[in-house]
Amino acid sequence: MTLARLQTALGSALRARVAGDDASERAARIWDTPGERWFTEQDPVWRVHADAAMFPGGVAALLLQMLHPMAMAGVAGHSGYKGDPWGRLQRTSTYLAATTFGTVEHAMDTIGHVRAIHERVRGKDAFGRPYRASDPHLLGWVHVAEAWSFLHAYQAFARTPLSTSEADTYVAQAGVSAGHLGVVDPPRTVRELEGELTAYRAELEATEQAREAARFLLVEPPLPLASRPGYWAIAAGGVALLPRYARAELGLPASPTLSRGVLRPLGRASTSTVRWAMAGVGRDRAQEQAA
């Protein structure tokens, strides 16, 4: 197999995991449908969400979100993350792609679909407290954890990190879809984002549900044995991004030395590999469109 074919094969396999077997059809609808869009290729949110750093960033976001008992109860009770983990990932990636790269009409349709699902998701957390997925405060936590994780992953693993002003713009742009989804006054700057993350700190606690989900995500992922080392390298980068308190709550390595010396280098190397592989898919798609 030539290097170019290996690149395309690896990239296609990754895309199928993240976006589903019908990834090409979904991509055509999101990217090729004409119409008004919220963002362009020059916008920070487009650059961040299109980069391979989203792989470790997604791991970090999931782990961080688990620390809110109500958010974790919703995932454990309604998402089917163990029975259909890749389906859940694909639905999440489709939402991010549609609201970042798609037309405004497609983005709003996607948001409306998710809002309808949220209205049905409710129950009690591990402490017996009632929750509902449509609660603006809970939606705010999910958004803050995602935006913080995606931004930090890009700044740590992208070829060219965002400038200070671009990072603020990213936070504001990431809040556009969040506001339509039901988040009240999403953060507009990095300072506001960091402030909101800190404000939620008192509500965070790793329940047994969270620790079980973390073990599923990190120790025994639903992958063939041959694929696990590469996945673990990506996950190492995600773990390295987490605040130290989050790693400690989940029983993960909390040493800053280990994070800097081992986990971050693994995350950087694996993200570079993913970026190379996905470039092959992009090259082939461009050739098909030009033909």
Side-chain angles (χ1 to χ4, degrees):
M1 180 181 290
T2 66
L3 187 61
R5 287 183 178 179
L6 175 62
Q7 182 185 30
T8 299
L10 179 57
S12 297
L14 286 168
R15 185 175 67 168
R17 284 290 187 186
V18 173
D21 292 333
D22 60 345
S24 296
E25 291 78 7
R26 293 190 194 190
R29 182 187 177 194
I30 292 170
W31 295 85
D32 298 341
T33 300
E36 179 188 359
R37 284 167 164 76
W38 281 328
F39 313 112
T40 70
E41 292 183 52
Q42 286 70 47
D43 282 309
V45 71
W46 188 297
R47 288 156 55 193
V48 171
H49 291 180
D51 192 74
M54 288 291 283
F55 281 71
V59 172
L62 288 173
L63 291 169
L64 193 54
Q65 288 167 352
M66 290 175 190
L67 288 179
H68 198 296
M70 292 183 182
M72 185 62 239
V75 170
H78 298 274
S79 74
Y81 77 90
K82 284 188 176 180
D84 184 25
W86 298 115
R88 183 172 186 270
L89 174 62
Q90 290 156 14
R91 290 188 291 274
T92 300
S93 69
T94 297
Y95 174 85
L96 285 168
T99 56
T100 304
F101 314 120
T103 63
V104 173
E105 181 181 6
H106 189 189
M108 291 301 294
D109 285 347
T110 303
I111 290 169
H113 176 70
V114 173
R115 288 191 68 142
I117 293 173
H118 282 171
E119 290 296 333
R120 302 194 297 269
V121 176
R122 57 189 65 209
K124 293 184 177 181
D125 71 7
F127 303 101
R129 300 172 301 192
Y131 73 85
R132 54 188 177 87
S134 58
D135 175 12
H137 184 70
L138 194 55
L139 286 171
W141 164 248
V142 173
H143 170 64
V144 165
E146 283 188 353
W148 187 92
S149 299
F150 296 159
L151 176 59
H152 277 255
Y154 190 84
Q155 298 299 73
F157 303 131
R159 288 194 180 108
T160 305
L162 301 178
S163 67
T164 300
S165 62
E166 287 174 333
D168 282 339
T169 301
Y170 168 76
V171 175
Q173 291 177 335
V176 171
S177 60
H180 286 291
L181 191 62
V183 177
V184 177
D185 193 22
R188 299 292 177 182
T189 66
V190 173
R191 183 175 181 179
E192 289 180 6
L193 181 66
E194 295 284 356
E196 292 208 16
L197 187 73
T198 300
Y200 276 101
R201 177 70 184 91
E203 301 175 34
L204 308 183
E205 180 177 350
T207 62
E208 181 53 38
Q209 286 178 328
R211 287 186 286 270
E212 182 181 347
R215 286 193 296 269
F216 179 79
L217 183 65
L218 299 175
V219 180
E220 296 183 357
L223 285 167
L225 290 176
S227 301
R228 290 187 179 187
Y231 171 83
W232 282 328
I234 291 171
V239 171
L241 297 169
L242 293 173
R244 189 173 181 181
Y245 70 78
R247 299 200 301 270
E249 281 278 351
L250 291 168
L252 302 175
S255 164
T257 301
L258 178 64
S259 177
R260 288 193 302 268
V262 179
L263 301 182
R264 277 184 179 260
L266 281 172
R268 189 172 297 109
S270 59
T271 301
S272 294
T273 301
V274 171
R275 187 177 293 116
W276 172 78
M278 297 307 295
V281 175
R283 179 197 61 231
D284 286 2
R285 186 166 183 271
Q287 290 174 348
E288 289 174 2
Q289 290 178 318

CSV table of all heavy atoms in Angstrom, one decimal, residues 85-86 213-225 227-229 231-232 235:
chain,number,residue,atom,x,y,z
A,85,PRO,N,-21.9,3.6,21.9
A,85,PRO,CA,-21.0,4.7,22.1
A,85,PRO,C,-20.7,5.5,20.9
A,85,PRO,O,-20.6,6.7,20.8
A,85,PRO,CB,-19.8,4.1,22.7
A,85,PRO,CG,-19.8,2.6,22.2
A,85,PRO,CD,-21.3,2.3,22.2
A,86,TRP,N,-20.5,4.7,19.7
A,86,TRP,CA,-20.1,5.4,18.5
A,86,TRP,C,-21.3,6.2,17.9
A,86,TRP,O,-21.1,7.3,17.3
A,86,TRP,CB,-19.6,4.4,17.5
A,86,TRP,CG,-18.3,3.7,18.0
A,86,TRP,CD1,-18.2,2.4,18.3
A,86,TRP,CD2,-17.1,4.4,18.3
A,86,TRP,NE1,-16.9,2.2,18.8
A,86,TRP,CE2,-16.2,3.4,18.8
A,86,TRP,CE3,-16.6,5.7,18.3
A,86,TRP,CZ2,-14.9,3.6,19.2
A,86,TRP,CZ3,-15.3,6.0,18.7
A,86,TRP,CH2,-14.5,5.0,19.1
A,213,ALA,N,-18.1,5.6,34.0
A,213,ALA,CA,-18.0,6.1,32.6
A,213,ALA,C,-16.6,6.5,32.2
A,213,ALA,O,-16.2,6.2,31.0
A,213,ALA,CB,-18.9,7.4,32.5
A,214,ALA,N,-15.8,7.0,33.1
A,214,ALA,CA,-14.4,7.3,32.8
A,214,ALA,C,-13.6,6.0,32.5
A,214,ALA,O,-12.8,6.0,31.6
A,214,ALA,CB,-13.8,8.1,34.0
A,215,ARG,N,-13.9,5.0,33.3
A,215,ARG,CA,-13.2,3.7,33.1
A,215,ARG,C,-13.6,3.2,31.7
A,215,ARG,O,-12.7,2.7,30.9
A,215,ARG,CB,-13.6,2.7,34.1
A,215,ARG,CG,-12.9,3.0,35.5
A,215,ARG,CD,-13.0,1.8,36.4
A,215,ARG,NE,-14.4,1.5,36.8
A,215,ARG,CZ,-15.1,2.0,37.8
A,215,ARG,NH1,-14.4,2.8,38.6
A,215,ARG,NH2,-16.3,1.7,38.1
A,216,PHE,N,-14.8,3.3,31.3
A,216,PHE,CA,-15.3,2.8,30.0
A,216,PHE,C,-14.6,3.6,28.9
A,216,PHE,O,-14.2,3.0,27.9
A,216,PHE,CB,-16.8,3.0,29.9
A,216,PHE,CG,-17.4,2.6,28.6
A,216,PHE,CD1,-17.6,1.2,28.3
A,216,PHE,CD2,-17.7,3.5,27.6
A,216,PHE,CE1,-18.2,0.8,27.1
A,216,PHE,CE2,-18.3,3.1,26.4
A,216,PHE,CZ,-18.5,1.8,26.2
A,217,LEU,N,-14.5,4.9,29.1
A,217,LEU,CA,-13.9,5.7,28.1
A,217,LEU,C,-12.4,5.6,27.9
A,217,LEU,O,-11.8,5.6,26.8
A,217,LEU,CB,-14.2,7.2,28.4
A,217,LEU,CG,-13.7,8.3,27.4
A,217,LEU,CD1,-14.5,8.1,26.1
A,217,LEU,CD2,-14.0,9.7,28.0
A,218,LEU,N,-11.7,5.3,29.1
A,218,LEU,CA,-10.2,5.4,29.1
A,218,LEU,C,-9.6,4.0,29.1
A,218,LEU,O,-8.5,3.8,28.6
A,218,LEU,CB,-9.7,6.2,30.2
A,218,LEU,CG,-10.2,7.7,30.2
A,218,LEU,CD1,-9.7,8.4,31.5
A,218,LEU,CD2,-9.6,8.4,29.0
A,219,VAL,N,-10.2,3.1,29.9
A,219,VAL,CA,-9.5,1.8,30.1
A,219,VAL,C,-10.0,0.7,29.2
A,219,VAL,O,-9.1,0.0,28.6
A,219,VAL,CB,-9.8,1.3,31.6
A,219,VAL,CG1,-9.1,0.0,31.9
A,219,VAL,CG2,-9.3,2.4,32.6
A,220,GLU,N,-11.2,0.6,28.9
A,220,GLU,CA,-11.7,-0.5,28.0
A,220,GLU,C,-12.6,0.1,26.9
A,220,GLU,O,-13.8,-0.1,26.9
A,220,GLU,CB,-12.5,-1.5,28.8
A,220,GLU,CG,-11.6,-2.3,29.8
A,220,GLU,CD,-12.4,-3.3,30.6
A,220,GLU,OE1,-13.6,-3.5,30.3
A,220,GLU,OE2,-11.8,-4.1,31.4
A,221,PRO,N,-12.1,1.0,26.1
A,221,PRO,CA,-12.9,1.6,25.0
A,221,PRO,C,-13.4,0.5,24.0
A,221,PRO,O,-12.8,-0.5,23.9
A,221,PRO,CB,-11.9,2.5,24.3
A,221,PRO,CG,-10.6,1.9,24.6
A,221,PRO,CD,-10.7,1.3,25.9
A,222,PRO,N,-14.6,0.7,23.4
A,222,PRO,CA,-15.1,-0.3,22.5
A,222,PRO,C,-14.4,-0.3,21.2
A,222,PRO,O,-15.0,0.1,20.2
A,222,PRO,CB,-16.6,0.2,22.4
A,222,PRO,CG,-16.5,1.7,22.6
A,222,PRO,CD,-15.4,1.9,23.6
A,223,LEU,N,-13.2,-0.7,21.2
A,223,LEU,CA,-12.3,-0.8,20.0
A,223,LEU,C,-11.6,-2.1,19.9
A,223,LEU,O,-11.3,-2.7,21.0
A,223,LEU,CB,-11.3,0.4,20.1
A,223,LEU,CG,-11.8,1.8,19.8
A,223,LEU,CD1,-10.7,2.8,20.2
A,223,LEU,CD2,-12.2,2.0,18.3
A,224,PRO,N,-11.2,-2.5,18.7
A,224,PRO,CA,-10.4,-3.7,18.6
A,224,PRO,C,-9.0,-3.5,19.3
A,224,PRO,O,-8.6,-2.3,19.4
A,224,PRO,CB,-10.2,-3.9,17.1
A,224,PRO,CG,-11.3,-3.1,16.5
A,224,PRO,CD,-11.6,-2.0,17.4
A,225,LEU,N,-8.4,-4.5,19.8
A,225,LEU,CA,-7.2,-4.4,20.5
A,225,LEU,C,-6.1,-3.7,19.7
A,225,LEU,O,-5.3,-2.8,20.3
A,225,LEU,CB,-6.7,-5.8,20.9
A,225,LEU,CG,-7.5,-6.5,22.0
A,225,LEU,CD1,-6.9,-7.9,22.2
A,225,LEU,CD2,-7.5,-5.7,23.3
A,227,SER,N,-6.4,-1.3,17.7
A,227,SER,CA,-6.7,0.2,17.6
A,227,SER,C,-6.5,0.9,18.9
A,227,SER,O,-6.5,2.1,18.9
A,227,SER,CB,-8.1,0.4,17.1
A,227,SER,OG,-8.3,-0.2,15.8
A,228,ARG,N,-6.4,0.2,20.0
A,228,ARG,CA,-6.5,0.8,21.3
A,228,ARG,C,-5.2,1.7,21.6
A,228,ARG,O,-5.4,2.8,22.2
A,228,ARG,CB,-6.7,-0.2,22.4
A,228,ARG,CG,-8.1,-0.8,22.4
A,228,ARG,CD,-8.4,-1.7,23.6
A,228,ARG,NE,-9.7,-2.2,23.5
A,228,ARG,CZ,-10.3,-2.9,24.5
A,228,ARG,NH1,-9.6,-3.2,25.6
A,228,ARG,NH2,-11.5,-3.3,24.4
A,229,PRO,N,-4.0,1.3,21.2
A,229,PRO,CA,-2.9,2.1,21.5
A,229,PRO,C,-3.0,3.5,20.9
A,229,PRO,O,-2.7,4.5,21.6
A,229,PRO,CB,-1.7,1.4,20.9
A,229,PRO,CG,-2.1,-0.1,21.0
A,229,PRO,CD,-3.6,0.0,20.7
A,231,TYR,N,-5.8,5.1,20.2
A,231,TYR,CA,-6.8,5.8,20.9
A,231,TYR,C,-6.3,6.2,22.3
A,231,TYR,O,-6.6,7.4,22.7
A,231,TYR,CB,-8.0,4.8,21.1
A,231,TYR,CG,-9.1,5.4,22.0
A,231,TYR,CD1,-10.0,6.3,21.6
A,231,TYR,CD2,-9.1,5.0,23.4
A,231,TYR,CE1,-11.0,6.8,22.4
A,231,TYR,CE2,-10.1,5.5,24.2
A,231,TYR,CZ,-11.0,6.4,23.7
A,231,TYR,OH,-11.9,7.0,24.6
A,232,TRP,N,-5.6,5.4,23.0
A,232,TRP,CA,-5.1,5.7,24.3
A,232,TRP,C,-4.1,7.0,24.2
A,232,TRP,O,-4.1,7.8,25.1
A,232,TRP,CB,-4.4,4.6,24.9
A,232,TRP,CG,-5.3,3.6,25.5
A,232,TRP,CD1,-6.5,3.8,26.1
A,232,TRP,CD2,-5.1,2.1,25.6
A,232,TRP,NE1,-7.1,2.6,26.5
A,232,TRP,CE2,-6.3,1.6,26.2
A,232,TRP,CE3,-4.1,1.3,25.2
A,232,TRP,CZ2,-6.4,0.2,26.4
A,232,TRP,CZ3,-4.3,-0.1,25.4
A,232,TRP,CH2,-5.4,-0.6,26.0
A,235,ALA,N,-6.4,9.9,24.0
A,235,ALA,CA,-7.1,10.1,25.3
A,235,ALA,C,-6.1,10.6,26.3
A,235,ALA,O,-6.4,11.5,27.1
A,235,ALA,CB,-7.6,8.7,25.8
